[in-house]
Amino acid sequence: QDTDGAYEVLKSLVMYIENEVQLGETRKINEDVDKRLDAYFERRNNGGIAGIPTSIIPLDKMLGGIKPTDLITILGFTGTGKTWALAILACMLAKAGYKILFVTREMNPDQMMMRIDALWAGVSYGDFSRGILSPKEEQKLKDFYEHMKSSMDANLVVELSTGGVTNVSAMIDKHTPDLVLVDGGY
């Protein structure tokens, strides 16, 4: 109940982190020369992409793909499609063979999986969620589910996180994904 005291504790912890925790890296011009040259040839051979391609051409041109240390944030008002954008990205990358961990902080995993199912199967989410798919779309959904049942590799996992960074870190250790998408970065 002591807001001022809590603020002072928080401020001192932030100052401790800024002063004591070192997150920097050092590179010397004469080290890792072969590795740097190999990285150039990888970019040259992959059209400038040095990480995981998003398949969103303007984004890939700007970022050169998603690299291991990248933190990419999508911001927008409530209801503007951020979750859908992440779900589309998750499906595209999982279909391309990347192992994706989708961490949701805002939605039940069953609800998120409904979106992913509709996207991956290529059916209307609105009709799917209301149970009114056309016979053709129903068949596409059934085919998708049959394929998923026989698939041995779960390369897209949805987890609900009610904790903080440590909780998400544990999920990463558990699933060892190529990419982590977090819906709701509070």
Side-chain angles (χ1 to χ4, degrees):
Q1 301 293 334
D2 180 13
T3 306
D4 291 334
Y7 174 74
E8 289 304 318
V9 169
L10 183 60
K11 190 165 75 172
S12 70
L13 288 171
V14 168
M15 288 187 65
Y16 168 77
I17 290 169
E18 287 179 350
N19 293 325
E20 300 297 325
V21 177
Q22 301 298 317
L23 298 175
E25 293 184 32
T26 301
R27 296 289 185 270
K28 293 182 180 179
I29 193 73
N30 62 340
E31 294 177 349
D32 299 322
V33 174
D34 291 334
K35 182 179 172 184
R36 295 189 336 247
L37 183 59
D38 289 344
Y40 163 75
F41 285 118
E42 180 184 349
R43 290 190 305 274
R44 184 192 72 183
N45 295 336
N46 294 321
I49 305 296
I52 297 173
T54 65
S55 301
I56 302 169
I57 294 169
L59 190 60
D60 282 338
K61 283 185 177 182
M62 282 190 307
L63 301 175
I66 302 170
K67 291 166 253 358
T69 58
D70 283 352
L71 172 63
I72 301 166
T73 306
I74 300 172
L75 301 172
F77 291 109
T78 302
T80 56
K82 299 176 301 294
T83 299
W84 276 108
L86 288 176
I88 291 166
L89 187 59
C91 286
M92 288 183 346
L93 293 172
K95 283 182 176 184
Y98 294 100
K99 192 171 179 182
I100 307 301
L101 171 59
F102 193 111
V103 178
T104 178
R105 296 183 49 85
E106 298 183 348
M107 187 177 294
N108 176 303
D110 289 338
Q111 292 173 305
M112 193 67 239
M113 198 55 77
M114 281 180 57
R115 290 182 180 199
I116 289 169
D117 287 350
L119 286 166
W120 200 308
V123 300
S124 163
Y125 174 74
D127 291 350
F128 173 60
S129 66
R130 289 189 302 276
I132 58 169
L133 290 174
S134 69
K136 183 179 178 181
E137 284 191 313
E138 267 187 19
Q139 190 58 52
K140 285 173 75 173
L141 183 67
K142 287 177 186 177
D143 292 345
F144 161 72
Y145 284 141
E146 280 303 313
H147 173 74
M148 285 296 129
K149 281 196 307 192
S150 64
S151 178
M152 300 304 286
D153 187 26
N155 63 342
L156 197 161
V157 176
V158 176
E159 287 258 15
L160 174 65
S161 173
T162 56
V165 173
T166 305
N167 180 240
V168 174
S169 181
M171 291 176 187
I172 293 169
D173 290 343
K174 176 181 174 184
H175 297 290
T176 61
D178 296 313
L179 186 67
V180 179
L181 302 173
V182 179
D183 184 31
Y186 309 109

